[in-house]
Amino acid sequence: MQWFRHTLKDQTPYYVFLAVLFLVGVVFGALMVNALSLEQLQDLSRYLKDFFVTVNQNKQGFADSQASSTFWDSVSLHLKWVGLIWVCGLSVIGLPGILVLNFLKGVLIGFSVGYMVGQYSWKGLLFSLVSVAPHNLLVIPVLLVCSVAAMTFSIHMIKTKILANRPSEGMLRPLLSYAGLTAVMMVLLIGSASFETWVTPVMMQWVTPMLTASVTS
């Protein structure tokens, strides 16, 4: 327990820095909506209109017919993202990549929510709350934990192998700990993908009738 508190205390600056970087990405993504051209906005609007109508018309069949494909697509996306973070943590030059991935995640979420709110006002915010927010309440903390672990391992390599010039044998235990933590986080992401596949579509069906009325009126 004391080791855990000591580790958390040492890593707190990393968590704060990455959380701020992620939030900056969210703001940047929301502002990017204003930079879209009229043609791009119209294309997105047409896509969402078709999507809302499809979800509203098919009801439960929408979730059932695409559940397997959606689940594995979601799992693949999450694991690739964490895999990239893990690989970046294995090298000294990977540190900037960890920061970029966290910033980019924020941009994607900020853009999605910003566009929905900008186009559909409170109805867009409500749709974002049921479609974007729920599974990301787990995904974002998991990515932060993986990113901090990657940064910690990368900095540990710098200190031991480059600055202190110690033999690489001393890296085995930290590497196993780093890999084990990442594996646990991947399991959590599979759980998030399950929620995203079987629960989120049902929640979306509660809101899409209002949005369908807005885009067809």
Side-chain angles (χ1 to χ4, degrees):
M1 193 66 179
Q2 185 177 0
W3 171 84
F4 176 77
R5 287 197 296 265
H6 179 71
T7 301
L8 185 61
K9 181 179 179 180
D10 290 342
Q11 294 180 348
T12 296
Y14 299 154
Y15 280 105
V16 173
F17 177 73
L18 289 175
V20 171
L21 184 64
F22 171 80
L23 291 176
V24 171
V26 171
V27 174
F28 183 80
L31 294 176
M32 280 180 59
V33 177
N34 298 324
L36 294 176
S37 65
L38 179 60
E39 182 179 357
Q40 290 172 323
L41 288 172
Q42 290 175 340
D43 289 340
L44 283 173
S45 180
R46 282 193 295 268
Y47 170 79
L48 286 175
K49 177 181 178 180
D50 294 338
F51 176 76
F52 294 148
V53 171
T54 300
V55 174
N56 192 41
Q57 288 178 346
N58 292 336
K59 295 298 182 181
Q60 189 61 39
F62 174 80
D64 294 339
S65 62
Q66 299 184 3
S68 179
S69 175
T70 301
F71 173 73
W72 290 113
D73 288 345
S74 180
V75 169
S76 176
L77 177 63
H78 291 325
L79 296 190
K80 286 178 181 177
W81 203 279
V82 171
L84 283 174
I85 293 175
W86 190 78
V87 170
C88 287
L90 294 177
S91 62
V92 175
I93 60 175
L95 272 174
I98 299 170
L99 304 182
V100 169
L101 288 170
N102 280 268
F103 178 79
L104 183 58
K105 185 65 175 180
V107 170
L108 294 174
I109 293 177
F111 180 84
S112 301
V113 176
Y115 176 79
M116 292 300 302
V117 174
Q119 291 295 307
Y120 305 106
S121 186
W122 67 270
K123 295 178 182 178
L125 177 60
L126 182 59
F127 184 79
S128 298
L129 289 175
V130 300
S131 62
V132 178
H135 62 275
N136 276 304
L137 291 177
L138 177 60
V139 171
I140 294 170
V142 166
L143 292 181
L144 284 177
V145 170
C146 290
S147 298
V148 170
M151 290 180 63
T152 302
F153 184 77
S154 182
I155 293 173
H156 180 71
M157 281 201 305
I158 295 174
K159 291 180 178 179
T160 57
K161 296 185 65 175
I162 298 178
L163 299 181
N165 195 25
R166 295 176 183 173
S168 57
E169 287 80 0
M171 296 298 300
L172 180 59
R173 186 172 180 180
L175 176 60
L176 293 177
S177 176
Y178 174 42
L181 177 62
T182 303
V184 172
M185 294 299 105
M186 286 182 170
V187 173
L188 292 178
L189 287 177
I190 293 175
S192 174
S194 300
F195 184 94
E196 186 179 358
T197 301
W198 285 284
V199 180
T200 297
V202 177
M203 298 171 66
M204 288 165 54
Q205 289 161 11
W206 299 341
V207 182
T208 48
M210 293 185 295
L211 292 166
T212 303
S214 298
V215 298
T216 56
S217 59

